[in-house]
Amino acid sequence: MGALSVLATQVHAQVLEEILVTAQKREQNLQDVGIAVTAFSGDQVEQLGWRNAEQVAAQTPGLVATSYNGANTISLFSIRGVAQTDFNDHQEAPTVVYTDGVYIAQTSAAGAAMFDTERVEVLKGPQGTLYGRNATGGLVHLISRRPTDTLEGYVDAEVSEFSTTRLTGVVSGPISDSVRGRLSVMKQDSDGYYENRLGPDLRSLDATNVRLQLEADIGERLSAHWVASWGEADYGAAAYTHRVATLGADGGGVFGGADTDFGGYMNNDFYSGDFSDAGPNDAEGWLSALTLEYELSDNMTLVSITGLQNNEKTYQEDSDSSPAVFGNFGTEQDADTFTQEVRIDGTSDSLNWTVGGYYLEIEGDYRAFFQFPDYFGYGTLPNNVYDLETTSWAVFGQVEYEISDTLSFTAGLRWTEDEKDFNTNASCIDTTELDGCNDFGLVQGSVQTEPTVVDLSPLSLSRDDSDYTGKLQLDWRPAEDVLVYASLNRGMKAGGFLGSIDGATTLPDLSFEDEILTTYEAGLKMTFWDNRARLNASAFYYDYSDYQAFVFQGITSVIRNNDAEITGAEIELTLQPANGLDLLFGASFLDAVVQDVDRGAGDIRDQDMVLAPDITLNFLGRKAWDLGGNGTLALQIDGQYVDEQQFNTINSEAASNESYSLWNARLVYEPTDNWSAELFVNNVTDEEYWTYGFDLALFFGSAILAVGEPRWAGASVRYSF
């Protein structure tokens, strides 16, 4: 599936331009790729005002992206309901993010800042026979603008509400006859838009991102591309909106059953609250990637992609979101990732093929804690220090054979070996004279004299998962501008371990098994109306075996294996009905169910999947006018509708959101080829909505909800050379 190709930046554009993607490891017209793909050019990313990877979901049917606290310190990507929503830092997601060909293993880095972007590609469904790290849900690929043969660059400055400033600077050009370079820098600062009546405002931002690229031609057949990026961000303290909640008849939290939470607090304000202990929310990371391409022959290329990453994070939140001190949750992370992909891409008159190998190593040290100072007389500090080493290797290949001028067949196969070594050491400290640790069952052990320290003996676990994934597909072209495809895919995600936040997790619940996803999909891609319209649609059925379902109960979480089913359809329609007018419509329809979920007390029933709304809609319209010798003017309106969705596999009113609609408006004036100015308003109607939440009715008598951004107006100016 494809997005608008030009968004009317050329006023007199009469036809839809080609969208070139590399979803199948070679450059192709989007309409020739028998995969559900949504793609955005770098110009579109800028015109839509996107600043991080999560925002891509606004115009991508089937993609939902959010973070636990609204500050993308852990980003969650759900494609067609396939997601991993455990908030512990060590978990890998089934819907993955790539940057310039390199797999981003840490969810804390997945919501990457987007600047100086060449293209974004969203691939839907299992990806394993072409890409390095197998992914059951799909992937989001962020591709940077490459170094250029001539000297060029730009400076972009933006100011907006809440004392927000953003400055982007780029310079690119030749260093020698065979070497080119590009330096891209973005600096963002913003005061918090969430008022804290007890201290500094929350949801502020102080972030710096730098990217350096070098590209070299080494002889006639060898080329090298090196990219190094670094970023740090102080996101300000996490902020949740507080709502009073009580236990309903089915054991889940509901609203309206009480006037206050267990501490006698209530808060009906959406963007303000009383936070007694809003802690740090800092992240820093770097990435280095080297891509080598060697032409073995005119139709065969050897490709090597080597990636090194480090991600560090310190996080603490006021989990009760009230002036009382019920509980503070925090995490720490220091993780290193090494990836190596080697493959050969080949082509001939009737055959395109890829064969390759992949190696991944992740070494991470982590900490999670949940502090209960004097909770009903009990003061406890559960603390869990753990580390995880993941080693994975795989071999994969795919072949596409043109049976005739109108029919082609694709087959792919992958074998993956995943090994995980896990060490955990959970402890609990009683900070009062009462035996809170034992009474709450946080850890098992012997009680000592005050201050009581109860330790769980260090525990070491390991697991080895190996399995195959594969793909079979037929592509049929009944006409030049029509592609019909049908595919069968098998995806796999290895099992893993939990980083318990309170030490209460029992030994059987510390690990979970691998999940297997079998998908059946049929799709249509067509261009019509004298090349003024593009329609892409797909329908699919997903059959999950041992789906890794995230379950949050009380203050702890587990991942349980349950079977699941997903049925859905997506459609995107792009139109250029008149000079300078572009329209884009998108829709996603889902029925995503986790089967036989144990809600406790013998209550077993099917539940809606997390981050899988039944309906999402998106719209974009852009009209541009040629002002003759005075440049061009363009007005853009874009919006999205998101249906009700759940935030926990155990569904409840307190951990879900109501449907909402968001609308944005932009006015762009380009007096010359070098200058442009823009006015924008995001969330024009000032819609109040939340994007994630936790049901804490059992422990705190409340729910905490991550709110979306309020109405936000600003202006920017850009100079290019």
Side-chain angles (χ1 to χ4, degrees):
M1 295 185 179
L4 291 173
S5 60
V6 290
L7 286 177
T9 54
Q10 297 177 348
V11 175
H12 298 291
Q14 295 291 321
V15 297
L16 296 177
E17 293 187 357
E18 277 192 334
I19 302 177
L20 299 179
V21 298
T22 54
Q24 297 193 115
K25 298 299 187 181
R26 65 185 189 275
E27 194 172 85
Q28 293 176 279
N29 184 340
L30 178 66
Q31 298 305 99
D32 295 332
V33 180
I35 303 175
V37 181
T38 298
F40 302 92
S41 70
D43 288 340
Q44 291 173 310
V45 169
E46 292 174 358
Q47 292 161 359
L48 287 161
W50 293 342
R51 299 292 174 251
N52 64 70
E54 290 180 19
Q55 295 173 311
V56 176
Q59 292 293 321
T60 305
L63 173 62
V64 175
T66 184
S67 54
Y68 290 109
N69 60 12
N72 71 314
T73 50
I74 290 186
S75 294
L76 312 173
F77 291 85
S78 172
I79 295 181
R80 297 174 170 177
V82 180
Q84 168 59 271
T85 55
D86 186 5
F87 46 74
N88 285 293
D89 293 306
H90 68 287
Q91 298 291 12
E92 292 182 84
T95 297
V96 303
V97 174
Y98 276 74
T99 297
D100 295 321
V102 177
Y103 166 57
I104 307 300
Q106 305 296 318
T107 54
S108 60
M114 286 203 304
F115 62 107
D116 200 29
T117 301
E118 173 66 26
R119 189 171 66 256
V120 178
E121 298 179 7
V122 181
L123 283 62
K124 304 168 187 180
Q127 310 294 325
T129 59
L130 284 175
Y131 280 82
R133 186 57 165 159
N134 57 305
T136 50
L139 63 89
V140 179
H141 193 181
L142 311 179
I143 302 166
S144 304
R145 284 180 172 150
R146 298 286 286 265
T148 52
D149 292 323
T150 58
L151 180 63
E152 64 177 52
Y154 62 88
V155 176
D156 192 312
E158 178 185 303
V159 294
S160 60
E161 293 187 86
F162 309 103
S163 302
T164 300
T165 60
R166 181 187 59 82
L167 182 65
T168 304
V170 175
V171 60
S172 176
I175 298 174
S176 69
D177 291 341
S178 60
V179 179
R180 300 162 295 282
R182 190 178 189 98
L183 176 64
S184 312
V185 180
M186 183 172 69
K187 181 73 173 73
Q188 302 178 87
D189 289 284
S190 181
D191 291 346
Y193 60 84
Y194 197 105
E195 179 190 3
N196 179 16
R197 290 184 286 261
L198 300 181
D201 291 342
L202 311 178
R203 294 274 187 92
S204 60
L205 178 63
D206 180 0
T208 303
N209 294 91
V210 180
R211 182 189 306 124
L212 174 64
Q213 299 180 74
L214 293 176
E215 196 172 63
D217 302 320
I218 308 170
E220 295 183 355
R221 293 185 175 270
L222 178 62
S223 65
H225 174 244
W226 175 69
V227 56
S229 60
W230 169 85
E232 66 172 0
D234 178 356
Y235 294 101
Y240 295 97
T241 284
H242 175 282
R243 290 289 182 270
V244 175
T246 58
L247 291 179
D250 62 358
V254 297
F255 299 129
D259 294 329
T260 67
D261 67 8
F262 293 166
Y265 177 70
M266 66 174 294
N267 178 35
N268 291 322
D269 295 334
F270 206 82
Y271 290 110
S272 62
D274 304 272
F275 295 81
S276 57
D277 189 9
N281 188 0
D282 303 324
E284 182 178 3
W286 58 263
L287 177 147
S288 175
L290 176 63
T291 300
L292 300 174
E293 296 187 11
Y294 182 73
E295 295 183 9
L296 297 172
S297 65
D298 291 341
N299 57 4
M300 194 183 310
T301 303
L302 173 66
V303 180
S304 169
I305 305 175
T306 306
L308 289 170
Q309 303 168 56
N310 174 263
N311 296 102
E312 299 181 17
K313 192 184 77 171
T314 301
Y315 176 79
Q316 182 176 321
E317 68 181 31
D318 185 354
S319 295
D320 56 274
S321 298
S322 77
V325 186
F326 277 176
N328 296 320
F329 165 64
T331 62
E332 296 176 4
Q333 170 195 11
D334 186 355
D336 295 302
T337 304
F338 170 76
T339 59
Q340 177 64 58
E341 177 179 340
V342 178
R343 70 176 194 272
I344 300 176
D345 303 323
T347 184
S348 65
D349 291 340
S350 60
L351 194 68
N352 293 288
W353 55 272
T354 292
V355 62
Y358 185 74
Y359 178 78
L360 165 73
E361 186 174 296
I362 308 171
E363 294 183 354
D365 296 316
Y366 309 92
R367 175 182 177 236
F369 66 88
F370 202 103
Q371 186 175 11
F372 289 98
D374 197 18
Y375 178 59
F376 293 143
Y378 293 95
T380 64
L381 176 59
N383 182 68
N384 187 18
V385 177
Y386 61 100
D387 63 77
L388 177 67
E389 181 177 348
T390 300
T391 303
S392 176
W393 64 266
V395 290
F396 58 89
Q398 180 170 300
V399 58
E400 179 183 348
Y401 177 66
E402 295 182 7
I403 300 173
S404 67
D405 292 340
T406 60
L407 188 65
S408 64
F409 172 71
T410 300
L413 190 64
R414 176 192 184 97
W415 180 262
T416 301
E417 293 271 0
D418 261 43
E419 181 179 333
K420 290 183 171 69
D421 295 313
F422 179 69
N423 300 289
T424 180
N425 187 5
S427 64
C428 182
I429 299 175
D430 280 326
T431 56
T432 69
E433 295 182 358
L434 300 176
D435 296 333
C437 290
N438 282 337
D439 289 352
F440 284 125
L442 295 175
V443 292
Q444 303 300 318
S446 58
V447 178
Q448 303 174 4
T449 58
E450 287 298 326
T452 302
V453 179
V454 184
D455 289 306
L456 184 68
S457 298
L459 184 65
S460 296
L461 301 171
S462 62
R463 63 176 300 119
D464 191 347
D465 296 301
S466 58
D467 212 327
Y468 75 94
T469 60
K471 174 180 182 176
L472 297 173
Q473 180 165 317
L474 279 175
D475 291 355
W476 176 48
R477 277 203 174 276
E480 181 180 357
D481 294 326
V482 179
L483 172 65
V484 179
Y485 63 91
S487 65
L488 168 65
N489 272 275
R490 186 181 196 268
M492 170 262 192
K493 180 177 180 289
F497 300 99
L498 288 174
S500 173
I501 65 172
D502 59 11
T505 308
T506 61
L507 185 59
D509 280 338
L510 272 179
S511 63
F512 51 91
E513 299 303 312
D514 56 326
E515 63 181 15
I516 303 296
L517 173 60
T518 304
T519 73
Y520 308 84
E521 181 169 349
L524 167 70
K525 295 186 174 185
M526 61 184 301
T527 305
F528 57 99
W529 193 21
D530 293 331
N531 214 24
R532 292 175 178 267
R534 178 185 295 134
L535 175 66
N536 292 345
S538 63
F540 50 88
Y541 170 71
Y542 285 14
D543 185 8
Y544 252 117
S545 175
D546 289 330
Y547 167 71
Q548 296 168 0
F550 172 72
V551 178
F552 182 78
Q553 287 181 298
I555 61 165
T556 195
S557 61
V558 296
I559 295 176
R560 297 196 175 107
N561 293 102
N562 292 76
D563 291 342
E565 289 185 349
I566 305 173
T567 304
E570 295 160 358
I571 186 169
E572 282 185 295
L573 176 63
T574 304
L575 301 172
Q576 287 185 342
N579 287 351
L581 177 62
D582 289 282
L583 300 173
L584 170 64
F585 304 90
S588 169
F589 306 94
L590 274 182
D591 181 16
V593 176
V594 185
Q595 300 171 340
D596 300 327
V597 176
D598 185 357
R599 294 176 55 94
D603 182 8
I604 298 176
R605 67 176 96 163
D606 293 349
Q607 300 282 268
D608 290 339
M609 274 188 173
V610 178
L611 299 181
D614 290 347
I615 300 173
T616 62
L617 306 173
N618 59 275
F619 166 78
L620 188 148
R622 186 177 177 95
K623 172 61 178 175
W625 296 270
D626 189 342
L627 304 181
N630 296 316
T632 62
L633 183 69
L635 174 64
Q636 176 179 301
I637 304 292
D638 64 271
Q640 64 175 141
Y641 167 82
V642 180
D643 206 359
E644 178 183 350
Q645 58 184 321
Q646 294 290 331
F647 303 136
N648 189 5
T649 302
I650 296 181
N651 298 168
S652 71
E653 178 185 353
S656 65
N657 77 327
E658 300 176 351
S659 62
Y660 62 89
S661 299
L662 298 176
W663 292 94
N664 311 305
R666 314 186 89 80
L667 184 65
V668 182
Y669 175 54
E670 298 182 7
T672 69
D673 292 338
N674 301 100
W675 287 95
S676 66
E678 177 180 298
L679 300 175
F680 66 87
V681 182
N682 295 332
N683 191 3
V684 172
T685 61
D686 205 17
E687 178 88 344
E688 294 182 345
Y689 65 103
W690 49 77
T691 60
Y692 207 82
F694 294 94
D695 181 354
L696 303 176
L698 175 63
F699 269 81
F700 299 154
S702 64
I704 56 173
L705 305 162
V707 300
E709 293 180 350
R711 181 166 52 219
W712 203 307
S716 67
V717 62
R718 177 175 178 140
Y719 173 72
S720 303
F721 62 88

